[in-house]
Amino acid sequence: MTARRLLASIHDVTPVHAERLDRLVPIVEAIVGPGRYALLVVPDFHRQGLLTGHPQFVRRLRGWADAGCEIFLHGFTHVDESRHAGVAARRKASRMTAGEGEFLGLSTREAEARIVEGRDMIEQSIGRPIAGFVAPAWLYGEDSLAALAAQNIRTIEDHFRVWNPQNSEVFARGPVVTYASRSRMRIASSILWSRLATVLLARASTVRLAVHPHDVDSPRLMREIARALGTFARSHQPATYADLASGRFS
């Protein structure tokens, strides 16, 4: 019988959120173990300064990578500055995220340029290849998917699957468990979904749970995150995306 996997990830890893990460990382690590979670790095979060302009944070990032954490490129600015063509794209951009679907409306050329620059910046910082790419808000346009395939990115994910954009091989299916902290209503709905998920996904072969630095601003949310992550960690073995893509456990 194949063991069940838990893929835990921390999004929006950037010097801008350094203090929140100081609080969030130890909570996740205490439950899943050192190096058993992914870090999604934004090279120039909201255009507030390049990652490389913060050498102390770069050293921390390299330390996490040395400890075994998978480092993903997570967009470049995390800000959607595109003019979207088509009703579906405009609806996604306005309803599924607060203006942060950076890779939803980019051209292939612009998406490739951001991927190349972001990947080079992170890889020079951590001294190893990135593990893959996750678009901000998990939103991709067709051009950005083509850019990822052209740049030999082999592991990406959205709300419902993890796959290889080069050949469309799907590594895992199922909804990601994540949280929203922008309002009381979003916090309440996130907690409800999280509690349902620990029941509905109890037998899923792969569970993904993603957290964000702003989650620590809500004690209610953090209590639920710790509960859900602990519940899943008892039924699913903390694993890496590389384990998933190769079909192995380490």
Side-chain angles (χ1 to χ4, degrees):
M1 178 179 178
T2 303
R4 299 185 179 104
R5 297 178 175 89
L6 169 62
L7 301 178
S9 61
I10 299 176
H11 288 223
D12 302 352
V13 175
T14 160
V16 174
H17 291 317
E19 292 184 2
R20 289 185 174 95
L21 291 167
D22 284 343
R23 297 155 60 193
L24 183 58
V25 169
I27 293 170
V28 173
E29 188 168 294
I31 297 171
V32 301
R36 305 307 291 173
Y37 51 94
L39 297 170
L40 278 56
V41 180
V42 186
D44 187 10
F45 187 80
H46 286 211
R47 300 192 182 280
Q48 294 183 45
L50 292 174
L51 170 70
T52 48
H54 300 266
Q56 183 177 353
F57 191 85
V58 168
R59 287 193 293 271
R60 289 180 65 193
L61 186 61
R62 184 157 192 156
W64 284 323
D66 289 344
C69 290
E70 291 179 306
I71 310 298
F72 282 73
L73 174 60
H74 188 39
F76 193 84
T77 66
H78 212 288
V79 177
D80 182 5
E81 300 167 312
S82 301
R83 297 183 64 182
H84 298 282
V87 174
R90 288 195 295 272
R91 183 179 295 115
K92 285 182 179 180
S94 63
R95 296 185 181 180
M96 296 184 70
T97 180
E100 296 193 309
E102 178 189 1
F103 272 69
L104 180 59
L106 294 178
S107 68
T108 301
R109 180 177 180 180
E110 179 60 27
E112 281 202 63
R114 296 188 188 201
I115 292 164
V116 169
E117 185 176 359
R119 177 174 57 194
D120 288 350
M121 190 182 304
I122 293 173
E123 290 183 347
Q124 289 177 26
S125 296
I126 64 176
R128 70 198 72 207
I130 59 170
F133 178 94
V134 179
W138 292 282
L139 294 175
Y140 303 81
E142 291 300 321
D143 284 0
S144 65
L145 290 172
L148 288 160
Q151 287 300 316
N152 200 31
I153 303 292
R154 299 185 180 184
T155 302
I156 67 175
E157 71 169 18
D158 63 14
H159 287 94
F160 297 104
R161 60 177 174 156
V162 183
W163 81 102
N164 183 337
Q166 293 189 310
N167 58 17
S168 298
E169 179 186 2
V170 176
F171 304 132
R173 296 186 187 275
V176 65
V177 182
T178 191
Y179 304 85
S181 60
R182 291 198 304 272
S183 68
R184 290 182 179 180
M185 183 173 291
R186 288 178 181 273
I187 289 171
S189 62
S190 293
I191 290 173
L192 176 59
W193 160 233
S194 181
R195 289 175 180 170
L196 288 171
T198 53
V199 176
L200 297 175
L201 302 179
R203 295 184 178 275
S205 59
T206 300
V207 168
R208 291 178 292 145
L209 190 146
V211 296
H212 295 77
H214 278 290
D215 292 341
V216 301
D217 296 340
S218 169
R220 287 180 62 209
L221 212 52
M222 287 310 303
R223 286 193 295 271
E224 174 56 27
I225 288 169
R227 184 205 67 82
L229 194 55
T231 299
F232 283 129
R234 288 190 291 273
S235 60
H236 292 67
Q237 180 178 334
T240 67
Y241 284 81
D243 295 335
L244 179 67
S246 66
R248 70 172 189 270
F249 260 108
S250 61

